Amino acid sequence: MNEKHYTVYLHAREFWNSRFNDIHVPLAYLHARELLLSYPTADADVLIPAILLHDVGWKSIPEEDQGRAYGPTVEDESLRRLHEIESVRIATEILSAVNYDPRKLEKIVHIIDGHDTRTESLSQEDSLVKDADKLWRFTPVGVDYHHIQFGKPLAEYVAWLGQQIDRWFFTERGKQMARRAMAEVQRAVSEVGHV
Ligand SMILES: [Fe+2]
Ligand SMILES: [Fe+2]
């Protein structure tokens, strides 16, 4: 991580101790780094801060309400939207405080504002944030956490998850990474009965 990104990280991580973001965001960061290798023309100075800051707004939503805002059935669309609005507010404060390039700040918060609810992508960096955000769902810890949280039997949840790849991902590399992770999860489930 370069100095500029590290400074943003130090501020962003203060907001990760809510929901499962202290696991999710570092994994999303690693996935973003891997995606960047396949799309070197993407601006890392937009992508990396956007991924580090995209979910800081969850900290503003009480833990007991968060479960209604995501998953196979979203019970409260306004809460889902609220985490984006709060993430934009906090990200703007952090990026301004560290004197981040104002033109890049604008692109970053535009991506964050809609990272979850906006169904189309605004730019290559936006596509990569959206894909990096979703890849953790295909990791063993993401699968294990979500199937319990959503109250679905593991095999049923894994089958459902595998069907979402073409719908969720914007980049070919993102789809490829999701399929590779999915194959590992499926193999584990069939061989040992857990992830
Ligand atoms: Fe989010
Ligand atoms: Fe996220």
Side-chain angles (χ1 to χ4, degrees), residues 19-21 24-25 28 54-55 58 83 115 133-134 136:
R19 207 177 62 141
F20 36 67
N21 289 332
H24 161 54
V25 184
H54 79 282
D55 272 342
W58 281 116
H83 99 277
H115 72 268
D133 187 19
K134 294 188 181 73
W136 100 286

Side-chain angles (χ1 to χ4, degrees), residues 6-191:
Y6 186 67
T7 309
V8 174
Y9 154 76
L10 290 177
H11 286 80
R13 71 175 185 182
E14 298 296 318
F15 293 85
W16 292 349
N17 59 340
S18 184
R19 207 177 62 141
F20 36 67
N21 289 332
D22 44 8
I23 305 170
H24 161 54
V25 184
L27 285 173
Y29 166 75
L30 291 176
H31 288 133
R33 293 284 302 262
E34 194 175 339
L35 284 166
L36 254 182
L37 297 176
S38 298
Y39 302 98
T41 56
D43 186 350
D45 290 340
V46 171
L47 172 63
I48 298 299
I51 205 74
L52 293 173
L53 291 163
H54 79 282
D55 272 342
V56 289
W58 281 116
K59 188 94 175 102
S60 306
I61 298 174
E63 296 265 352
E64 61 271 25
D65 295 334
Q66 292 173 356
R68 290 189 278 120
Y70 59 87
T73 342
V74 176
E75 291 166 36
D76 192 335
E77 278 293 340
S78 67
L79 276 180
R80 186 164 170 241
R81 178 68 189 125
L82 182 59
H83 99 277
E84 292 177 330
I85 294 168
E86 280 296 293
S87 294
V88 165
R89 180 182 67 77
I90 297 164
T92 305
E93 282 174 16
I94 290 173
L95 293 169
S96 304
V98 303
N99 292 319
Y100 213 81
D101 178 333
R103 278 164 310 168
K104 298 203 175 186
L105 181 152
E106 203 179 313
K107 287 183 185 167
I108 293 164
V109 296
H110 206 172
I111 289 173
I112 294 173
D113 186 15
H115 72 268
D116 212 10
T117 60
R118 187 180 52 243
T119 50
E120 73 280 6
S121 164
L122 304 171
S123 61
Q124 187 176 44
E125 291 78 14
D126 192 18
S127 296
L128 296 177
V129 167
K130 285 179 180 299
D131 285 7
D133 187 19
K134 294 188 181 73
L135 276 164
W136 100 286
R137 298 176 187 173
F138 297 81
T139 63
V141 68
V143 169
D144 202 44
Y145 193 103
H146 281 134
H147 94 85
I148 293 167
Q149 192 188 22
F150 303 148
K152 301 252 185 255
L154 180 60
E156 187 187 315
Y157 178 69
V158 167
W160 175 82
L161 191 64
Q163 289 160 9
Q164 311 311 312
I165 296 175
D166 286 327
R167 187 167 74 87
W168 279 350
F169 287 87
F170 285 81
T171 68
E172 276 315 307
R173 180 71 182 132
K175 284 181 192 170
Q176 204 180 66
M177 287 165 68
R179 288 196 196 102
R180 189 186 60 198
M182 193 72 227
E184 279 177 37
V185 165
Q186 282 165 335
R187 188 167 56 241
V189 171
S190 67
E191 283 177 9

